[in-house]
Amino acid sequence: MSGPSRQGAGPGGTETAPAGRELGAADWWVGALRSGEPAASIAVEAARGRADVAFDLPAAPGAPGAARELGARVLGVWGMDGFVGDAELVLSELVTNAVRHGLPAQTASYGYGNVIRVRLLRRAGQAVCAVQDPSVRVPSPREPDLLLETGRGLHLVGCFSREWGVVLAPPRGKYVWALFA
């Protein structure tokens, strides 16, 4: 249940992979997240022939629920029903973190420009759920406090996905991703 380790150095932040491991060629989703994006208006039903689906959600309280629903539908279309329950929980946590921590302070009200992007990628029996926000701050798990309602999200992501990490996506912040295999 370890989070990402900080790797690399450079202006603007670091890229992360699971603790004790560097990002490598086997991490096929990293290149996909860094390169261009599919059309944002793809319908869930059109996901059947695609390996990369993206949709934007307003950074609002209903975003985690919408991400769960759309993510489950896409994974179902792809025939990856075995990942649905875990992916719904992980998407909910990643979107909640993006809404709470990934937006600049001056965009605290819901409105134009306060959008997060969700991407689902698949390849050879693996699926990646990734959530983009404009911040380059790398999230890190904290020790959960049993008396607080918050603070367990990244621990849950680590428990319910095979691994997770962060890919910087300049100029629009970062993707926090989780792999299901």
Side-chain angles (χ1 to χ4, degrees):
M1 179 163 72
S2 62
S5 60
R6 294 173 191 253
Q7 298 176 354
T14 60
E15 305 234 326
T16 64
R21 186 171 84 65
E22 291 190 26
L23 290 172
D27 300 325
W28 54 268
W29 59 90
V30 173
L33 292 174
R34 284 188 185 132
S35 65
E37 300 168 347
S41 62
I42 273 209
V44 171
E45 290 72 26
R48 186 172 319 282
R50 300 186 61 93
D52 188 349
V53 175
F55 49 90
D56 291 336
L57 297 171
R68 283 191 306 270
E69 179 183 338
L70 290 167
R73 290 178 58 200
V74 168
L75 290 171
V77 167
W78 285 345
M80 298 179 139
D81 298 301
F83 297 145
V84 169
D86 293 345
E88 284 179 312
L89 182 135
V90 167
L91 278 169
S92 184
E93 294 299 332
L94 295 180
V95 169
T96 297
N97 282 351
V99 170
R100 286 186 180 165
H101 307 293
L103 298 174
Q106 63 268 27
T107 62
S109 65
Y110 306 124
Y112 179 76
N114 297 343
V115 174
I116 55 171
R117 169 151 288 192
V118 177
R119 284 184 67 188
L120 300 166
L121 302 98
R122 70 177 167 130
R123 184 185 204 190
Q126 295 181 326
V128 169
C129 299
V131 176
Q132 182 184 38
D133 65 56
S135 174
V136 294
R137 284 186 22 227
V138 174
S140 62
R142 60 182 179 185
E143 191 62 37
D145 184 331
L146 297 176
L147 300 177
L148 297 178
E149 286 185 29
T150 63
R152 295 173 196 72
L154 293 177
H155 291 285
L156 291 171
V157 170
C159 288
F160 286 88
S161 64
R162 175 173 271 186
E163 57 188 75
W164 69 277
V166 177
V167 173
L168 296 178
R172 294 192 316 240
K174 68 180 176 299
Y175 279 100
V176 181
W177 57 265
L179 172 68
F180 300 89

